Amino acid sequence: MKKLTDVKKIKEREVSQDEIEENEKISKRNKLCMYTIPLVIIIILIIIYIPTSINYLLIPFAIFFLIFLFGMDSNQRTCKRCKKWNSIIWIDNRVDIKNTKTQKKNLIGKLVTKNTRKKVTISTGKCTNCGKEITVEKIKKI
């Protein structure tokens, strides 16, 4: 794992269109091999395991689950700008809770105001390939 001082040394550079297309091709292949196919195999193994209860099915399940976890993490670290697979190093991660008021009509037709809470996770990372700083926001209802 790189240190924060190493991340600050990464310079921002221009990435050619040919490199972006090549990175995108590699990223799609890696996503298919390390994320999508293991997920499908895991679902098939679960469907087979539930009625049969053959314990030997848990060994390939564990192997494919580890591959799936690595693929999921690497897929989230794909740069949006240069499309490089597993190239983002997360620098900062913070959570904010936002309260918003929404008005809805109930069955009678009366307006009811309701407070909704949303958990906003803001992650900031830096790409090791192009040097661009990327911010990702994920919103979840509480």
Side-chain angles (χ1 to χ4, degrees):
M1 187 171 200
K2 292 192 175 193
K3 297 179 183 175
L4 189 59
T5 56
D6 294 342
V7 173
K8 290 180 181 177
K9 293 178 184 177
I10 298 173
K11 301 281 190 239
E12 191 169 337
R13 68 177 184 93
E14 281 298 319
V15 182
S16 66
Q17 190 64 28
D18 294 335
E19 187 179 350
I20 291 174
E21 290 172 3
E22 184 67 28
N23 289 341
E24 190 171 13
K25 201 181 331 178
I26 292 169
S27 293
K28 284 182 181 178
R29 185 181 68 223
N30 287 343
K31 182 178 180 180
L32 185 69
C33 293
M34 293 183 179
Y35 185 67
T36 309
I37 292 175
L39 180 63
V40 171
I41 292 172
I42 287 170
I43 292 170
I44 291 170
L45 286 172
I46 289 171
I47 291 171
I48 293 170
Y49 177 75
I50 289 174
T52 62
S53 296
I54 301 171
N55 289 336
Y56 293 114
L57 288 176
L58 295 176
I59 295 169
F61 174 80
I63 293 169
F64 283 112
F65 192 74
L66 287 174
I67 295 170
F68 169 74
L69 284 177
F70 178 74
M72 184 175 66
D73 181 49
S74 298
N75 187 39
Q76 290 175 347
R77 293 174 179 260
T78 302
C79 181
K80 305 279 189 258
R81 182 176 172 215
C82 67
K83 311 288 193 234
K84 180 86 172 168
W85 176 263
N86 198 17
S87 66
I88 293 180
I89 298 173
W90 298 115
I91 301 169
D92 186 28
N93 189 11
R94 68 175 198 265
V95 178
D96 293 335
I97 296 177
K98 294 183 179 179
N99 293 325
T100 56
K101 291 184 178 181
T102 57
Q103 290 187 346
K104 292 184 179 180
K105 287 186 177 182
N106 60 8
L107 295 173
I108 303 171
K110 187 177 177 183
L111 283 177
V112 177
T113 59
K114 194 176 195 181
N115 288 334
T116 56
R117 295 177 63 191
K118 293 182 182 178
K119 179 180 174 183
V120 181
T121 305
I122 303 168
S123 302
T124 306
K126 194 162 190 178
C127 179
T128 57
N129 188 36
C130 64
K132 178 81 173 174
E133 195 166 299
I134 295 171
T135 304
V136 178
E137 287 187 16
K138 293 180 184 175
I139 300 172
K140 294 180 184 176
K141 287 186 178 180
I142 298 177

